[in-house]
């Protein structure tokens, strides 16, 4: 009743506001209105007001956006009689409307993000049985050993936890392949992994044929397991010990709960972060999704399965016929199916796994292409708008999630739209300079403020634009492909590793250079036209600035596709603790610095000779709350002095199952140190500083990109031995 | 009353009767016809004194000329006499005459010392029965000066008294009512309508005279009618209108009128050239019936003529726009010719509805197709002025020249006003060589600029609601339109003949512009009671003080009027919420940078083009910005953009009423004032009902005053026939005959009166217009609603979705 009353009140207030917003009150009134709104928004932002004020902020922003949309629709479109202006004008308008609709949808999604309380504790007796699925296709045994060991080490009653390695790289189909190379590799892999699983106490599962890719593999796992709950970890996603403690309790509480999703937390930078050198300072791209959007989706019971780091209820999955495989994003599709059946989901905003991201630009693009095409497959084949059983809010959330991936279309439209005026003198946006100021600039400023206020801790100004542009170049053709044939895209496994030990230009770089050259030519033409077309100075300045912004983005992208070398073969995690390094007969007390899948870095004290390539034993005596000692066989890889001490790089010798468990525990047993480091990056950047930063990056990366384009072209894609 | 010599009438008469009560258009045969063979029949050109002077380097005047069916078949010759300014360079002068868009002749003979006459034979078949267009175009440059200012010294005057259309072997027969447009104008381009009322100046007879005068204006399409009552002198120009019962009329005219019953008869004296319309009947009721039939005939009169002629007719009083139309400039009379001078100027006249709500809710769009030549001065630009104020501009500084294709310019509705508006398109096209101004540059006849007729003006849907007080809506018929009874009360204290004539001239002009006859009720002794709208004419001394006060004037300012209060002082009712509306008196700025309130603005006389040029040079924020930018000077542009934003903020706040408020000052009536027009508006007592409370009935009193009745008549005729009336805006204005200047007083409190149907579109525009003038209310309301909305949103969000 109270809700209906409030809703009625809201509808009335919205109608009255809309009535006033949609009045053509003229430019002066618009100026006053825009100034008032922007000042109020700035005040709310600067004072850091939340709660009621947060919603007022959104309402003020929405007002300005709607004013702009009204004016844009009624006053700026070219006449239908001038088709050469009208058609491109309409395309740009549609792209803008798409962005405004997406802004509206995302504001709905993040209207009130939820902070969930901790999962209730589960007594060992009542704890449900849990099956952990680690699907694998081509990952190496070392990586899998770490992940499986970490899964095995999770705090949970031993008799209720079963770990499965779901190997799709050793299927019967592959083993029996007519191609002897494939057949032998598959057989070798199968035997190696079966041995590993045996050593680790993990179940090895494979299947006849590779059908329905990951979804098929997971569904196959369901067939051969019985646990009440199913946990999915990607092969490179090693869980923290407390993973189940933080998630399973929710299932006891809510029998209709089908999913508890946790964030994906990565220990390495994505290639753009790496190439732009922002990893240490700036929040990663995925943090906005995992720390804001999923929490927002959770409010509307629409947090969805992200393919890994999640707990699912077997009963729900079986009801839906296993993991859905219509699209190549089986995770989101599965969640959509189960939400439509009335099951509920929940999101825990606490990183409980650590994983790896693609390291090269091409694998990054490959991963994003899969996400993009998969989400569009859902939009085209299982449109959430018409899916039975979903609530209105869930429909909006899923539409928002799927439609987000159409961003390459407006992004490319905005990249090329200014050129229509610069090169062809098409008038696709009818407005005076004053109107542009009163409506467009205030709208853009409001949109920037909205973005900054909502996501500032997780996304610095202009970073979305950079990522969108970089992806758009390759996603746009993919979108066209999926629209043409929605069933065509197939699952491609995201390659991890592949970084080289030398700087090189990505093999996908040339379109970025082409676009940069076109935009640069546009900028030159603008300068030329400014000299010779003084009648159009106002318009030229506006269009020129727009093109300049695009040019800066394009220049930044040149840096993003100029791959930095990666000396380290495996990504390191900082750890604390101490131990003893025994090299032949000499013993050195050491402090642990960091650890990776392939070795450790320690600081050795005291005199004595340490020779490279010498076999040694590292005994770790104190780390975190561990009481027992672990001894690991190591080989001295390198040495460098540090003051009176020495930094010693140690490589693992062949490890046993128990030793893998120890390494996994060292790496992922406690992610808190790593998390603290990441949280330190989650600091907002003001619009001014953020913009200045992007301008600086733009300049630097353009030069770096051009340098790579000139001098680092020949060394494309020579993969190093490094694997993740 | 002086009777027309009866013998003359009897000697040469063509009679045409439109038996009013029967079929109005049925021609009746001539009763008496003493037909003299007329070797030549001259038709003066209907060009007013104001328009006869062609000022500037490239000027053209187009006017409609009505040709009867008989005339159209006869050989015709156009005789055009003109005189040039001494400053016009003989080598570059050219005068071209077009009839129905076909060049019939031109001349390059410049003559500053004595009238030069150009005689042009019009090719047979070019003239069509009905309206035809005659266009006189002049190209002239200065003989010693290359400055823009010097172009205002260039003029060619068409000598209307020596210019006519001459038909050979034709009798100018005005036989039917539909030939009334063929009535000759006088040499000033005015069409005198001489009313003769044999019965005396009773209010009923004046009302009939008013109806008859308006009917003939509508039938004859006279754009500059002047009504006289029982004039002393006889003229062959114009039309006599005789109204009375049959015996009275017969006695007055000395002829026998055939037939009986209500009828309107047209008599054309071939010898004297005088045309007389007789409206008569056996009784007064029959006279009214005849007038009724005449009015009906006038309202339903069909137009015919050449396409160009009908176009010229549509534009003669300003093209009528109701909102939602797009018209190209060729249709508005643009002569699309390459321009070779230094200051191009083309004026378009737009007649907007009398109930136009002036506010910032939309804009007119001007899509310019034009081209300019290379090597113009970098500061060259095209400026669009609305009612004299610069509103938009385009720089023309590409050294290589440029073609401007559908370049959009936006003219806010708030720059316009009800009634006649002018849109001037100017282009300064000086070259570097003009700076030195040597002989070569003086004779430089290179084509510099071309404005194409395909350029279009689009008038958006307009908010239609009466706004009072607003004297600019009088001529386009606003007062009648606003009246619920569709009646206008005309009050002429002391019933002086000249004042009555002035009032009839005003009504005739209203009919000419609005194309709708006004039903006027005349009173002479005291202010009519209970009338919605009163229009009072008189000398200062004749006008009761109460009427003056009701019109919002301070009687003390009229000097001789004492502080006595008339018993018929109107009641001042509850005043409705004011709305600030920008009329022309409210300054129009290209940029709000100099939006300081200036209450009384001295309007620029239309002839003082130099002053307009000065005003343009003073410029405003944006103009300044555009001027200062030569491509490399981007800093200047950035600076001016910052200034502009700062000024926009301050200006917006001013307009929103947040920073100070405007105060208005009354007009000063000094001794040199020839005419005072003032209007006072007030609400009647509140009636029941929401609508009545929102938009209460409004009554107005409008006074048109002059020092004497005689001057009232002459000043009003002069003003209505010229473009001066366009400058009468706001709630009061005075006209000073000495320097032909108009001073206006901005309307302080505006009352709204519904006129057009209050449909969704109109109501929305009206609300938007109101809100745009009351930004403070708009923003406060919106932010208030937003606060409430957020509260509701906050609650709903807490209660919806997953509960925390």
């Amino acid at each position: 009743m109270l809700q209906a009353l409030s809703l009625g009140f809201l509808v009335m207030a919205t109608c009255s506001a809309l009535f006033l917003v949609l009045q053509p009150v003229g430019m002066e009134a618009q100026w006053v209105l825009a100034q008032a709104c922007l000042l109020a928004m700035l005040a709310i932002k600067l004072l850091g007001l939340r709660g009621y004020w947060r919603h007022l902020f959104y309402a003020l922003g929405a007002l300005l956006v709607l004013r702009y949309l009204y004016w844009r629709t009624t006053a700026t479109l070219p006449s239908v009689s001038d088709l050469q202006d009208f058609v491109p004008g309409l395309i740009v308008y549609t792209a803008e409307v798409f962005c405004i609709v997406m802004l509206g949808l995302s504001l709905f999604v993040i209207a009130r993000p939820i902070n969930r309380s901790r999962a209730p504790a589960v007594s060992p007796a009542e704890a449900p049985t849990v099956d952990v699925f680690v699907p694998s296709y081509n990952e190496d045994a070392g990586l899998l050993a770490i992940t499986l060991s970490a899964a095995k080490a999770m705090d949970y009653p031993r008799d209720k936890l079963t770990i499965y390695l779901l190997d799709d790289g050793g299927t019967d189909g592959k083993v029996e392949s007519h191609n002897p190379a494939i057949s032998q590799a598959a057989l070798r892999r199968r035997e190696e992994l079966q041995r590993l699983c045996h050593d680790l106490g993990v179940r090895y599962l494979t299947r006849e044929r590779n059908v329905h890719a990951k979804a098929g593999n997971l569904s196959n796992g369901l067939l051969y397991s019985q646990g009440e709950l199913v946990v999915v970890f990607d092969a490179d996603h090693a869980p923290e010990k407390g993973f189940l403690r933080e998630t399973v309790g929710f299932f006891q509480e809510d029998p209709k709960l089908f999913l508890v999703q946790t964030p994906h937390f990565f220990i390495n930078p994505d290639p753009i972060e790496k190439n732009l050198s922002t990893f240490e300072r700036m929040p990663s791209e995925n943090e906005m999704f995992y720390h804001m959007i999923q929490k927002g989706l959770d409010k509307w019971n629409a947090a969805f399965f992200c393919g890994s780091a999640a707990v699912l209820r077997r009963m729900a999955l079986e009801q839906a016929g296993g993991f859905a495989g219509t699209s190549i994003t089986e995770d989101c599709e599965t969640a959509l199916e189960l939400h439509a059946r009335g099951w509920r989901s929940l999101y825990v905003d606490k990183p409980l796994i650590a994983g790896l991201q693609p390291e090269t630009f091409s694998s990054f693009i490959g991963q994003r292409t899969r996400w993009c095409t998969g989400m569009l497959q859902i939009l085209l084949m299982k449109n959430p708008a018409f899916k039975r059983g979903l609530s209105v809010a869930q429909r909006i959330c899923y539409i928002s999630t799927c439609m987000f991936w159409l961003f390459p279309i407006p992004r490319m439209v905005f990249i090329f739209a200014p050129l229509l005026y610069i090169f062809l003198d098409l008038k696709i946006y009818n407005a005076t300079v004053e109107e542009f100021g009163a409506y467009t600039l205030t709208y853009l400023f409001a949109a920037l403020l909205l973005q900054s206020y909502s996501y500032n801790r997780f996304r610095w100004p202009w970073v979305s634009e950079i990522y969108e542009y970089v992806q758009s170049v390759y996603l746009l053709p993919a979108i066209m492909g999926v629209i043409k044939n929605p069933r065509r895209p197939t699952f491609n496994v995201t390659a991890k590793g592949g970084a080289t030990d030398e700087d090189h230009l990505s093999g996908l770089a040339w379109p970025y250079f082409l676009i940069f050259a076109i935009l640069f030519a546009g900028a030159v033409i603008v300068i030329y036209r400014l000299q010779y077309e003084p009648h159009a100075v106002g318009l030229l300045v506006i269009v020129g600035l727009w093109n300049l912004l695009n040019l800066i983005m394009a220049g930044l992208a040149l840096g993003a596709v100029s791959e930095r070398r990666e000396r380290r073969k495996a990504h390191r995690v900082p750890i604390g603790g101490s131990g003893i390094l025994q090299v032949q007969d000499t013993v050195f007390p050491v402090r642990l610095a960091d650890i990776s899948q392939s070795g450790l870095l320690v600081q050795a004290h005291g005199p004595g000779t340490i020779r490279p390539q010498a076999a040694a034993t590292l005994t770790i005596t104190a780390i975190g709350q561990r009481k027992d000692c672990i001894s690991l066989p190591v080989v001295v890889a390198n040495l460098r002095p540090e003051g009176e001490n020495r930094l010693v790089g140690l490589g693992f010798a062949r490890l046993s199952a128990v030793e893998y468990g120890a390494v996994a525990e060292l790496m992922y047993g406690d992610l808190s140190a790593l998390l603290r480091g990441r949280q330190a990056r989650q600091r907002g950047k003001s619009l001014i500083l953020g913009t200045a930063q992007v301008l600086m990056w733009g300049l630097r990366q353009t030069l770096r990109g051009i340098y790579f384009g000139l001098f680092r072209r020949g060394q494309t894609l020579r993969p190093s031995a490094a694997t993740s | 009353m002086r009777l027309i010599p009866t013998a003359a009438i009897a000697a040469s008469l063509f009679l045409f009767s439109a038996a009013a009560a029967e079929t109005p258009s049925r021609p009746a045969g001539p009763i008496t016809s003493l037909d003299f063979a007329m070797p030549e029949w001259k038709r003066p050109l209907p060009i007013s004194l104001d328009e006869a002077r062609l000022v500037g380097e490239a000027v053209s005047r187009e006017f409609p000329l009505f040709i009867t069916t008989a005339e159209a078949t006869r050989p015709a010759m156009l005789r055009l006499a003109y005189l040039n300014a001494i400053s016009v360079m003989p080598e570059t002068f050219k005068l071209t005459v077009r009839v129905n868009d076909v060049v019939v002749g031109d001349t390059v003979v410049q003559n500053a010392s004595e009238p030069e006459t150009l005689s042009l034979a019009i090719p047979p078949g070019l003239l069509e029965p009905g309206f035809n267009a005659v266009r006189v175009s002049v190209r002239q440059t200065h003989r010693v000066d290359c400055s823009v200012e010097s172009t205002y010294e260039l003029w060619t005057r068409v000598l209307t008294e020596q210019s006519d259309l001459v038909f050979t072997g034709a009798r100018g027969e005005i036989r039917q009512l539909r030939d009334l447009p063929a009535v000759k104008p006088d040499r000033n381009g005015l069409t005198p309508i001489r009313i003769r009322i044999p019965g005396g100046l009773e209010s009923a007879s004046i009302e009939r005279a008013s109806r008859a005068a308006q009917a003939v204006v509508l039938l004859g399409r006279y754009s500059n009618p002047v009504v006289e009552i029982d004039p002393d002198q006889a003229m062959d120009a114009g039309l006599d209108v005789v109204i009375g019962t049959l015996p009275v009329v017969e006695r007055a005219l000395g002829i026998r009128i055939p037939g009986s019953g209500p009828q309107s008869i047209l008599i054309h004296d071939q010898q004297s050239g005088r045309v007389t319309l007789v409206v008569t009947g056996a009784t007064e009721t029959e006279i009214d019936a005849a007038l009724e039939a005449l009015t009906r005939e006038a309202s339903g009169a069909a137009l015919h003529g050449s396409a160009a002629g009908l176009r010229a007719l549509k534009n003669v009083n300003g093209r009528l726009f109701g909102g939602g139309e797009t018209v190209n400039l060729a249709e508005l009379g643009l002569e699309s010719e390459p321009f070779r001078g230094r200051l191009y100027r083309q004026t378009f006249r737009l007649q907007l509805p009398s109930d136009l709500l002036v506010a910032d809710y939309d804009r007119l769009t001007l899509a310019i197709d034009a081209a300019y030549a290379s090597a113009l001065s970098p500061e060259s630009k095209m400026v669009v002025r609305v009612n004299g104020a610069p509103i938009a501009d385009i720089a023309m500084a590409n050294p290589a020249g440029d073609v401007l294709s559908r370049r959009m310019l936006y003219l806010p509705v708030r720059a316009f006003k009800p009634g006649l508006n002018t849109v001037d398109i100017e282009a300064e096209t000086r070259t570097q060589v003009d700076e030195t101004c040597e002989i070569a540059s003086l004779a430089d006849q290179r084509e510099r600029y071309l404005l194409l007729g395909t350029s279009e003006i689009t008038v958006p849907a307009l908010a239609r609601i009466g706004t009072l007080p607003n004297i600019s809506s009088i001529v386009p018929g606003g007062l009648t339109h606003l009246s619920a009874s569709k009646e206008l009360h005309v009050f002429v204290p002391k019933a002086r003949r000249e004042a009555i004539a002035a009032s009839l001239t005003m009504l005739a002009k209203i009919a000419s512009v609005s194309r709708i006859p006004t039903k006027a009720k005349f009173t002479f002794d005291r202010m009519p009671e209970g009338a919605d709208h009163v229009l009072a004419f008189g000398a200062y001394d004749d006008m009761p003080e109460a009427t003056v006060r009701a019109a919002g004037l301070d009687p003390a300012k009229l000097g001789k009027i004492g502080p006595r209060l008339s018993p018929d002082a109107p009641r001042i009712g509850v005043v409705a919420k004011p709305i600030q509306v920008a009329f022309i008196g409210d300054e129009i700025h290209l940029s709000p940078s100099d939006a300081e309130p200036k209450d009384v603005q001295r309007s620029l006389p239309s002839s003082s083009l130099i002053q307009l040029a000065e005003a343009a040079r003073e410029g405003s924020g944006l103009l300044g910005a555009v001027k200062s930018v030569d491509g490399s000077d981007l800093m200047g542009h950035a600076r001016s953009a910052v200034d502009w934003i700062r000024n926009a903020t301050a200006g917006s706040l001013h307009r929103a009423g947040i920073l100070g408020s405007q105060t208005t000052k009354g007009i000063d009536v000094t001794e040199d004032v020839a005419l005072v027009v003032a209007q006072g508006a007030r609400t009647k007592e509140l009636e029941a009902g929401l609508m009545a409370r929102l938009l209460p009935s409004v009554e107005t009193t409008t006074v048109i005053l002059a020092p004497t009745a005689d001057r009232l008549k002459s000043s009003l005729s002069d003003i209505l026939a010229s473009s001066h009336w366009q400058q009468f805006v706001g709630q009061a204005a005075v006209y000073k005959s000495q320097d032909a200047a108009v001073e206006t007083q901005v309307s302080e409190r505006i009352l709204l009166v519904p006129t057009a149907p209050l449909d969704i579109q109109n109501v929305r525009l009206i609300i938007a217009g109101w809100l745009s003038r009351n930004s403070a209310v708009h923003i406060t309301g919106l932010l208030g609603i937003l606060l409430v909305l957020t509260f509701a949103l906050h609650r709903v969000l807490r209660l919806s979705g997953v509960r925390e």
Side-chain angles (χ1 to χ4, degrees), chain A residues 208-221:
Chain A
E208 280 183 28
R209 288 182 299 119
N210 298 66
V211 285
H212 292 311
K214 185 178 174 184
N217 194 8
L218 290 171
S219 294
N220 185 59

Side-chain angles (χ1 to χ4, degrees), chain B residues 167-181:
Chain B
F167 296 96
T168 316
R171 292 189 303 261
E173 297 170 339
I174 298 177
R175 302 162 60 93
Q176 305 173 40
L177 285 176
R178 67 186 176 96
D179 288 338
L180 271 179

Side-chain angles (χ1 to χ4, degrees), chain B residues 8 31 43 74 76 85-86 101 109 124 157 166-167 177 195 287 353 418 422 473 578 584 586 650 656 705 715 784 788:
Chain B
I31 300 159
R43 292 280 304 280
R74 309 308 305 172
I86 187 77
D101 293 337
V109 179
R157 190 154 61 85
V166 186
F167 296 96
L177 285 176
I195 307 272
I287 297 173
T422 52
S473 71
I584 192 166
D586 192 3
L705 301 168
S715 299
V788 175

Side-chain angles (χ1 to χ4, degrees), chain A residues 81, chain B residues 62 101 135 307-308 311-312 314-315 318-321 324-336 344 346-350 364-370 406 423 425 451-459:
Chain A
S81 57
Chain B
E62 186 177 55
D101 293 337
R135 183 193 286 272
R311 179 191 68 210
K314 276 185 188 170
N315 294 330
R319 181 74 157 229
L320 275 173
F321 284 91
E325 301 102 329
T326 296
V327 177
N328 67 33
L329 296 189
E331 267 295 297
L332 289 180
L334 171 72
E335 184 188 35
S336 194
Y344 176 88
Q346 183 77 39
T347 300
F348 302 98
R349 302 201 291 179
L350 277 56
L364 280 79
T365 311
L366 196 55
I368 296 280
D369 290 332
R406 301 203 67 71
V423 173
I425 300 180
L451 178 64
L452 287 168
T454 52
S455 306
E456 284 179 342
I457 189 160
T458 302
V459 179

Side-chain angles (χ1 to χ4, degrees), chain A residues 2-3 6-7 9-10 13-14 16-17 19-29 31-33 35 51-52 55-56 59-60 63 70 75 82 111-112 114 116 298-301 427 430-432 434-435 530-535 537-538 541, chain B residues 360-361 363 372 394-395 397-399 402 405-408 410 414 592 622 629 631 634 637 644 648-649 652 655 764 767-768 771-772 775 778-779 781-783 785-804:
Chain A
L2 193 61
Q3 191 174 3
S6 301
L7 199 65
F9 195 47
L10 177 65
T14 309
S16 324
F19 174 77
L20 285 178
V21 166
L22 301 183
Q23 291 296 329
V25 288
M27 209 173 59
E28 286 180 7
W31 262 119
V32 182
L33 184 65
Q35 285 159 6
Y52 170 86
H55 293 133
L56 181 64
L60 290 165
L63 187 152
Y70 170 77
D82 302 320
R112 202 179 162 92
I114 291 191
R116 294 281 186 175
D298 199 17
K299 165 75 181 174
W300 304 114
N301 185 27
K427 289 161 197 73
N430 286 336
T432 61
E434 299 92 312
E435 286 173 333
L530 277 172
Q531 303 295 320
Y532 294 101
E533 294 176 37
H535 62 266
V537 164
V541 167
Chain B
D360 197 8
Y361 53 83
R363 59 203 187 176
Y372 63 91
I394 303 173
N398 189 341
D402 209 346
S405 169
R406 301 203 67 71
R407 185 62 53 88
M408 297 292 183
Y410 302 106
R414 75 181 144 83
L622 190 67
V629 169
L634 285 178
H637 194 77
W644 184 84
T649 313
S652 306
R655 276 204 179 277
R764 188 165 162 273
I767 292 173
L771 289 174
S772 73
S775 299
H778 181 222
I779 288 159
L782 198 48
L783 294 184
I785 289 175
L786 227 55
L787 288 173
V788 175
L789 185 151
T790 307
F791 176 75
L793 178 72
H794 197 64
R795 279 206 69 79
V796 167
L797 281 174
R798 273 176 61 178
L799 296 171
S800 334
V802 174
R803 307 277 178 95
E804 294 147 74

Side-chain angles (χ1 to χ4, degrees), chain B residues 214 217-218 221 317-318 320 351-352 354 473-478 480-481 506-518:
Chain B
Q214 292 183 64
V217 165
L218 291 173
R221 298 264 163 182
N317 270 328
L320 275 173
Q351 191 72 239
L352 296 182
S354 61
S473 71
I474 299 173
V475 168
T480 330
H481 201 178
M506 176 59 98
L507 291 170
K509 182 73 182 182
I510 291 173
S512 167
V513 171
S514 70
R515 312 291 319 143
I516 298 165
T518 302

